[in-house]
Amino acid sequence: MTSINDFTLPGIQGDENLLEGLAGRAILLVNVASQCGYTPQYSELESLHRELSQHGFSVVGAPCNQFGAQEPGSAAEIVQFCTSRFNVSFPLSAKLEVNGPGRHPLYTWLTAPEQGFAGDIAWNFEKFLIDAAGQPVGRYPSAVSPRDNGLLQDIAAALPVAGDASP
């Protein structure tokens, strides 16, 4: 597999592949959880998604319960939480694993040494930036805010027309 577009990522509400509609867009893929100290990042992720959506950018949340069991809810509970507390409009995948033998193939690819961002996911809200061509161009630890200046510059460079927007 050579691009994020080669993967299938089921949506939380039963969509077969939420990535299908995102081809050609820059993506910030974030493994999310509802009961984490980083959960307030949902607000910044949502505002970033709304501000840059028209410029070919999308946040994608990937709920994961592998870190401190901080995403225990069902699909319906996760959607309810995200929409009622943070008004999330960006796509959410079905709950998945990002580490270990059950790791989703997308995360196997993203964390492979040949991508340049090798190693297990350390915690909730770790972020991967994928450019408009479907290639990983950045990996950011949980503590990096979605409004971090370096991340924002990287997002601008990853847009379909680089520098097309200033978040």
Side-chain angles (χ1 to χ4, degrees):
M1 305 239 176
T2 59
S3 160
I4 193 172
N5 304 313
D6 296 328
F7 293 90
T8 298
L9 189 62
I12 198 164
Q13 297 184 341
D15 329 32
E16 188 175 311
N17 183 12
L18 66 81
L19 295 175
E20 197 169 65
L22 300 176
R25 297 177 71 80
I27 296 170
L28 188 65
L29 178 66
V30 186
N31 62 302
V32 295
S34 300
Q35 300 175 8
C36 177
Y38 294 111
T39 299
Q41 285 188 14
Y42 267 122
S43 292
E44 294 176 322
L45 291 167
E46 177 60 21
S47 67
L48 195 59
H49 176 76
R50 287 179 188 252
E51 289 168 25
L52 295 178
S53 183
Q54 72 273 17
H55 297 286
F57 173 79
S58 184
V59 170
V60 173
C64 179
N65 195 39
Q66 288 188 288
F67 305 102
Q70 294 180 345
E71 187 57 273
S74 67
E77 290 169 332
I78 294 167
V79 169
Q80 170 64 22
F81 175 85
C82 291
T83 55
S84 68
R85 298 220 182 155
F86 297 101
N87 202 26
V88 166
S89 65
F90 57 80
L92 294 169
S93 76
K95 196 185 301 188
L96 52 78
E97 292 186 13
V98 298
N99 288 334
R103 183 187 325 240
H104 188 278
L106 175 57
Y107 274 89
T108 299
W109 178 71
L110 287 170
T111 60
E114 55 271 19
Q115 299 308 326
F117 305 107
D120 282 347
I121 304 303
W123 197 252
N124 299 309
F125 289 87
E126 192 159 323
K127 303 155 194 72
F128 284 90
L129 180 60
I130 315 298
D131 69 13
Q135 298 302 306
V137 293
R139 182 175 178 174
Y140 310 87
S142 306
V144 172
S145 163
R147 292 290 180 179
D148 175 83
N149 286 335
L151 175 55
L152 293 175
Q153 289 173 359
D154 292 348
I155 290 171
L159 293 173
V161 177
D164 190 34
S166 296

